[in-house]
Amino acid sequence: MKIGELAKRSGLTAHTIRYYERIGLLPRADRDRSGRRDYDASILAWIDFLGRLKATGMPIRDMRRYAALREQGDGTAPQRRELLERHRARVRAHVDELNACLLVLDAKIGAYAERETRTKRHESKPIERRREPAGAGQTRPG
């Protein structure tokens, strides 16, 4: 598939695809008779995986390291696994941190909601006028 089709199907721009190829994240594409890049559809799964690494915050240098190990073949599986395990630990720590932040946000939102509910209850109550006891305000003979 040509770079335009790959861009459309992968969600990347043609510029990003060329950049990824230049820095080693994508393997060099085959060329057609006209010298234009011609990608195999199997590259889509690799691009999807790279997108997940990027979305989880893996630095480009680690993505490049992983891609280089991948290019070297099955003998590098232990190194690739180790790299992914380290990244997974960082992702889990980040998820834990985000969950802690969510708890704080939930508590703050809950406090605001409770305050608003109390305010609405207070504002919706009719104003009670004090009634004077019967006979109050009349002067007694005396």
Side-chain angles (χ1 to χ4, degrees):
M1 94 184 74
K2 301 300 178 220
I3 196 166
E5 177 69 16
L6 181 59
K8 188 184 332 178
R9 291 180 63 183
S10 69
L12 298 176
T13 65
H15 175 78
T16 300
I17 292 168
R18 286 186 207 97
Y19 171 70
Y20 280 6
E21 192 175 304
R22 189 171 56 252
I23 67 170
L25 286 179
L26 295 179
R28 297 268 180 216
D30 292 332
R31 302 285 178 150
D32 66 13
R33 282 182 252 139
S34 303
R36 294 182 301 182
R37 288 172 172 83
D38 192 18
Y39 295 93
D40 186 84
S42 64
I43 196 83
L44 288 166
W46 174 242
I47 289 173
D48 182 62
F49 183 67
L50 289 173
R52 292 181 188 279
L53 294 177
K54 182 179 178 187
T56 57
M58 180 180 271
I60 293 251
R61 71 178 174 279
D62 289 348
M63 291 169 68
R64 290 177 63 196
R65 174 78 178 130
Y66 187 91
L69 289 168
R70 179 178 178 261
E71 281 294 311
Q72 293 173 30
D74 290 340
T76 64
Q79 293 96 327
R80 286 184 277 159
R81 187 193 76 242
E82 184 180 317
L83 196 149
L84 292 177
E85 286 173 344
R86 282 194 313 268
H87 181 63
R88 180 181 61 192
R90 288 190 301 269
V91 170
R92 282 191 173 148
H94 190 171
V95 167
D96 290 346
E97 180 183 346
L98 289 174
N99 280 325
C101 291
L102 275 174
L103 290 174
V104 171
L105 289 172
D106 288 344
K108 185 61 92 173
I109 290 167
Y112 282 122
E114 186 179 316
R115 184 183 303 161
E116 288 171 13
T117 301
R118 278 191 311 233
T119 301
K120 285 179 184 172
R121 247 189 268 133
H122 177 71
E123 290 173 351
S124 66
K125 284 186 180 179
I127 299 174
E128 293 183 24
R129 296 182 183 214
R130 291 181 128 191
R131 300 182 88 200
E132 293 184 26
Q138 296 177 358
T139 55
R140 287 185 172 195

